[in-house]
Amino acid sequence: MGSPEAKNLEAISRAIDQHNANCPYPASEVRMNPYEAERLGWEEIRGLPVVPDPALGTGRFRIVCSREGDGTGLEETEAIGEPIEVER
């Protein structure tokens, strides 16, 4: 088993692949809980910016579609990652 961070990175990477395989518009950003974004210290994942989003609970992230830029509104794909363990 890998670290919690590695498991989360793998889950996010799979969600990006799934989005890009099923949508003509590529993923444009990864949103996650601000606490987790700060704790993990990731500024980007696979070239996509990590954007802190207080609307997301811990252990969750959201892949945002680039379709937002064409005027049809924001489309989001949500996936649940592994709960991030906090080392004490």
Side-chain angles (χ1 to χ4, degrees), residues 1-86:
M1 289 269 165
S3 71
E5 290 85 1
K7 289 179 185 177
N8 278 288
L9 184 59
E10 184 178 323
I12 293 168
S13 186
R14 279 195 313 264
I16 292 168
D17 287 341
Q18 181 179 3
H19 170 85
N20 290 342
N22 294 309
C23 181
Y25 297 91
S28 64
E29 64 187 37
V30 177
R31 293 185 183 180
M32 65 175 57
N33 179 274
Y35 169 77
E36 291 178 357
E38 182 178 329
R39 188 181 73 76
L40 292 169
W42 297 338
E43 291 186 18
E44 65 178 42
I45 298 172
R46 292 181 47 192
L48 301 178
V50 172
V51 178
D53 186 342
L56 294 172
T58 57
R60 300 180 74 86
F61 61 91
R62 187 168 283 150
I63 306 301
V64 179
C65 181
S66 64
R67 184 180 204 175
E68 174 182 7
D70 76 355
T72 61
L74 180 67
E75 177 181 319
E76 297 180 346
T77 302
E78 185 170 323
I80 300 173
E82 293 285 325
I84 297 177
E85 297 175 19
V86 178

